[in-house]
Amino acid sequence: MIKKILLGLLGFVVLLLIGGYAYYRLVIYQPPLISNDDRAAIRLMPLPSKLELKSGQIDLSKGLKIRYANVKNELIEKSMERFISRLNKKAGEEVIRESGLEFIIDCQSDQQYAVPLPNEDESYTLNINSKTISLQALSPYGIIRGLETLVQLVKTENGNDVIPAVEIYDKPRFRWRGLMLDVSRHWMPKDVVLRTLDAMATVKMNVFHWHLSDDQGFRVESKVYPRLHEVGSNGKYYTQSEIGEVIRYAAERGIRVVPEFDVPGHTESWQIAYPELSTVSYPLKFGAQQGELFPPPLDPAKEEVYLFLDKLIGEMGALFPDQYLHIGGDEVNPDYWNKSSSDQEFMKENNLKDGHDFQAYFNKRVHEILQKHGKRMIGWEEILHPDLGNDIIIQSWKSHKSLFEAVQHGGTAILSSGYYLDLKLHADKHYQIDPLVLPGAVDIIPDTGYWKMYDMTMDFAGNKMTSQLVVFDRDSSNVFGFFAMMDQRMVFKNGMIKDNQITFNLNSPMGELSYNAAFVGDSINGKLAFGLLKFNTSGVQSGGSDRSGTLMPKIEIVKPLTEDEKTRIIGGEAALWSEVVSAENAESRLWPRAAAIAEKLWSPQELTNDLEDMYRRLELISKQLTEQGSRHETYYESMLHRLIEPAGFEALKTLVDNLEEVKYYNRLAGILGMDELYLPDMPLDRVVDAARPESMEAREFNIMVDAFIADSTGVKNKTEIMNQLEIWSENNERLMSFIGESEKLMEIEHISADFSLVSHAALEKLSNKSSVTQEEISQLMEKMAFLEQGDHGVLLAVVPGLRKLILK
């Protein structure tokens, strides 16, 4: 009896110890989500929430036998068909067999709808040992995401295709992980859309925002208002049958399709088809008119506009089953309303004080129409207005400011600021943007006793942009203040003023900016730099503590988000506008950079800070996307082949490999006229259209130079750098004989010549064959500054490395 009691007590103690250890592991002990060693060994993008590599692996040559532990429905079956096809392609043989290692699919819920809902559970667990693969999820969408991870885990070792043993628990950080594709400015055929959806699924994006109407075209067949596609599309539109096919294709991959019909602005194509909707009485045609950047908007004072929208939204709402419909609402020019006597009379009668109120009136009427047809409203940040209530989603594109404002006033929002792929920025710039972190937020305490304010203008892509600089300076080695542009104030700290020169760095939604300027009396002139780009700025003092009667601008200190407000920032969207993007090169403007944004929206925040590791995995995911059918790489060589005869191809590729399309909208002020820009069929077939947004060859060279400069022995990478410089220094001579009378190639003739010249100078300096005088260095610096700024839409991306070699 005593023995039994003692054994019982011992068992109880053991249970306590085991339970205590389990409690410690699960609740108290917080291991890293992914260890550094495991992170370096994996190939996944996006990174999972938690991952731990184990010993052992699955050898795919032994085959896999699938067993469904619970639910097996049509959605899971189709996802498995795609998975098996891709797995067989990777392995080069049939992997799924009647007998083999066990692959268990365990889905707990059979609930599925025609399209995914906004709050679907996408979590999953994946456990792999040397004998079994187990994929568990609460919903079919978790199974879909888990299968994408499993495909990415496949690697080749010693000639065999294997999957490492691993434990993964994964779920998305944000529930709205979108990609916006503009198919209006330049038409994108259905096959481009389908390949985009495949790529989105690979990186676990779940919202396809389809920008279907703009000034250049209305891209959907309408049976209610057929002139929209017959007249307003230039013959390029999707039939309703094709729309249904895209929606089903997306749904099978766990992707929602949210259509955008932009109103009241960006509707020139509508007004060409139905002139009675317009604010103006004169006839419209495609292309910019009368020097206006933005064509006339719809007329909110006309009741027939709302009758038209009611029928159209009813038709489109039935065609697109998602709960949300995007109304655009951006970039409306109120000047047309201000010049209309009937609109002014309407505004007066309805107590609408300005164009913003007039648009809010319009949006409120559209909101009521959407609710009537069972839809919820989403729109760009310009629609933010207290009259619309909080059941809409605000999409912030200019800055984080509107994102924070929307949720701090009780609303819901998603972020696109910092995720605009058509700006052609490098992947790391997008990767550093986080929806919950406001770059350059105003958190300083103003020094009311000593301040100066300057009203500034900045040359930006051929246009003048207004900005404002406020400086607080009592200690010239610790200057602080803020720089305001595009409706956002950004703080700088730890600036310096010396010899009437001010320098500072600041964080912005575009990344880190640096400013250097000279004070001359009441004027200030300098440059604002972002990476390779530099913009001239000038300004005059307009206020200060030394100017009686002037007031310091009101500074709104940004309040940190509450936990509730954070939950109402539900995600973000990458965006690709197509003013200078064609169906041929669209995928290269999307991928692989959009994968970095996808990871930012899926993976835990603490796992998305390592830029070098991001680039390592970005290269791998780029190859996987190509294997799956994306043409972001294959388009490149085909475009180059059309530009030059076969014998000159390698020389042209050597040059263009190191070129990038210029950043932001600089290209628009260069080779394009505004009238061309607004034509829906503007050709995009030049070198700039082949050049990629980010040259990985250039990045590799610049990193190699940095390592060489940092090496005290002066040996590391020297041979590789010299070999590369020798190729570049001789490349112009090889290329020139093929340029001939080609207007498109003559655009880059001087770039090629200067590239070879600077490369030769760097090679000579590195090999100590000749010394370079200070005057020659100055001339080379001027050439590199020109190459870095860009011409005819392209810049030379290896300039940072070449400059360091010349100055070494």
Side-chain angles (χ1 to χ4, degrees), residues 491-506:
V491 160
F492 65 89
K493 303 174 185 177
N494 303 316
M496 179 177 290
I497 295 178
K498 184 178 181 181
D499 299 329
N500 287 321
Q501 294 269 346
I502 182 172
T503 59
F504 60 81
N505 296 325
L506 58 85

Side-chain angles (χ1 to χ4, degrees), residues 403-557:
L403 183 86
F404 276 44
E405 285 179 352
V407 298
Q408 287 177 338
H409 287 87
T412 303
I414 60 174
L415 181 70
S416 281
S417 175
Y419 296 151
Y420 266 36
L421 295 168
D422 53 298
L423 297 183
K424 317 298 164 51
L425 303 180
H426 291 178
D428 60 335
K429 302 302 180 187
H430 301 301
Y431 197 67
Q432 294 176 73
I433 301 299
D434 190 281
L436 300 185
V437 179
L438 182 58
V442 178
D443 58 359
I444 59 175
I445 304 299
D447 184 351
T448 57
Y450 192 95
W451 61 279
K452 289 186 179 182
M453 177 172 65
Y454 297 86
D455 290 339
M456 317 265 289
T457 58
M458 180 172 65
D459 291 329
F460 186 81
N463 298 304
K464 297 291 185 181
M465 178 182 291
T466 60
S467 56
Q468 188 180 71
L469 173 67
V470 176
V471 178
F472 303 102
D473 168 31
R474 286 185 184 272
D475 177 0
S476 59
S477 64
N478 187 25
V479 178
F480 64 98
F482 66 80
F483 191 87
M485 65 178 181
M486 291 183 68
D487 300 326
Q488 183 171 5
R489 287 194 174 101
M490 296 163 286
V491 160
F492 65 89
K493 303 174 185 177
N494 303 316
M496 179 177 290
I497 295 178
K498 184 178 181 181
D499 299 329
N500 287 321
Q501 294 269 346
I502 182 172
T503 59
F504 60 81
N505 296 325
L506 58 85
N507 290 319
S508 79
M510 300 171 288
E512 186 175 66
L513 305 179
S514 61
Y515 185 66
N516 188 299
F519 295 108
V520 181
D522 290 341
S523 300
I524 182 171
N525 297 286
K527 290 184 182 294
L528 184 70
F530 174 70
L532 303 178
L533 301 173
K534 294 180 175 63
F535 305 101
N536 292 322
T537 66
S538 60
V540 294
Q541 186 178 351
S542 56
S545 53
D546 60 341
R547 300 285 181 92
S548 60
T550 60
L551 298 175
M552 187 173 66
K554 184 179 179 182
I555 298 176
E556 182 182 357
I557 306 297

Side-chain angles (χ1 to χ4, degrees), residues 6 37 83 116 118 137 162 185 237 285 336-337 339 356 375 394 459 528 616 664 715 789:
L6 289 174
D37 288 344
F83 167 77
V162 299
R185 268 58 173 263
Y237 61 92
K285 60 181 181 179
Y336 295 99
W337 297 334
K339 294 173 184 177
H356 184 58
K375 297 294 180 182
I394 297 297
D459 291 329
L528 184 70
R616 175 185 69 85
Y664 298 103
V715 174
Q789 181 178 348

Side-chain angles (χ1 to χ4, degrees), residues 116-337:
L117 300 178
N119 292 304
E120 297 289 0
D121 190 317
E122 300 173 90
S123 65
Y124 65 92
T125 59
L126 186 60
N127 290 285
I128 302 172
N129 57 43
S130 58
K131 297 181 178 179
T132 307
I133 299 174
S134 174
L135 174 59
Q136 297 176 302
L138 293 175
S139 81
Y141 300 104
I143 297 296
I144 290 173
R145 305 301 176 227
L147 290 174
E148 292 293 347
T149 297
L150 190 54
V151 169
Q152 288 187 32
L153 283 170
V154 178
K155 60 181 181 179
T156 302
E157 279 189 2
N158 302 318
N160 293 326
D161 292 300
V162 299
I163 302 175
V166 68
E167 289 183 2
I168 292 175
Y169 170 71
D170 202 8
K171 65 176 182 178
R173 181 183 174 202
F174 294 104
R175 60 183 170 93
W176 192 297
R177 307 177 308 282
L179 187 151
M180 190 286 300
L181 181 63
D182 171 12
V183 300
S184 180
R185 268 58 173 263
H186 274 84
W187 165 246
M188 306 288 166
K190 184 185 69 176
D191 63 323
V192 175
V193 174
L194 297 182
R195 288 197 300 272
T196 299
L197 291 169
D198 281 332
M200 288 176 65
T202 297
V203 294
K204 300 181 174 68
M205 293 178 120
N206 69 342
V207 179
F208 179 56
H209 172 172
W210 207 353
H211 186 82
L212 287 161
S213 73
D214 215 294
D215 296 316
Q216 291 81 358
F218 188 96
R219 303 299 185 189
V220 183
E221 176 191 17
S222 172
K223 296 178 181 179
V224 175
Y225 293 109
R227 285 179 60 82
L228 283 173
H229 67 272
E230 292 172 352
V231 176
S233 75
N234 299 282
K236 294 177 179 177
Y237 61 92
Y238 308 101
T239 66
Q240 293 198 3
S241 175
E242 289 174 318
I243 294 290
E245 180 185 346
V246 169
I247 291 169
R248 289 188 296 274
Y249 196 88
E252 290 172 3
R253 288 152 180 79
I255 298 172
R256 299 163 48 213
V257 177
V258 176
E260 179 183 352
F261 298 99
D262 203 346
V263 291
H266 292 286
T267 52
E268 187 172 43
S269 59
W270 303 42
Q271 297 169 61
I272 290 171
Y274 294 93
E276 64 272 19
L277 305 175
S278 183
T279 299
V280 300
S281 57
Y282 52 83
L284 300 176
K285 60 181 181 179
F286 289 108
Q289 299 170 59
Q290 300 184 2
E292 293 288 354
L293 178 60
F294 300 116
L298 302 177
D299 192 341
K302 292 180 177 178
E303 194 61 29
E304 57 260 48
V305 167
Y306 303 105
L307 296 174
F308 184 96
L309 288 172
D310 187 14
K311 292 182 180 179
L312 182 64
I313 289 172
E315 180 185 26
M316 295 298 131
L319 185 60
F320 291 91
D322 196 83
Q323 295 178 5
Y324 286 89
L325 190 147
H326 203 300
I327 70 157
D330 62 313
E331 297 181 327
V332 178
N333 186 350
D335 289 348
Y336 295 99
W337 297 334

Side-chain angles (χ1 to χ4, degrees), residues 735-754:
L735 182 60
M736 283 304 101
S737 59
F738 296 102
I739 287 182
E741 299 299 317
S742 169
E743 177 187 347
K744 294 171 183 176
L745 292 180
M746 288 172 66
E747 291 179 350
I748 48 99
E749 187 174 5
H750 63 291
I751 296 175
S752 176
D754 286 349

Side-chain angles (χ1 to χ4, degrees), residues 659-662 687-688 691 748 751 787 790-796:
L659 299 180
E660 294 177 357
E661 187 171 354
V662 293
V687 170
V688 59
I748 48 99
I751 296 175
L787 293 170
D791 188 41
H792 283 88
V794 292
L795 58 84
L796 183 64

Side-chain angles (χ1 to χ4, degrees), residues 8-22:
L9 286 172
L10 180 62
F12 180 68
V13 170
V14 170
L15 286 173
L16 281 176
L17 289 173
I18 293 172
Y21 177 73

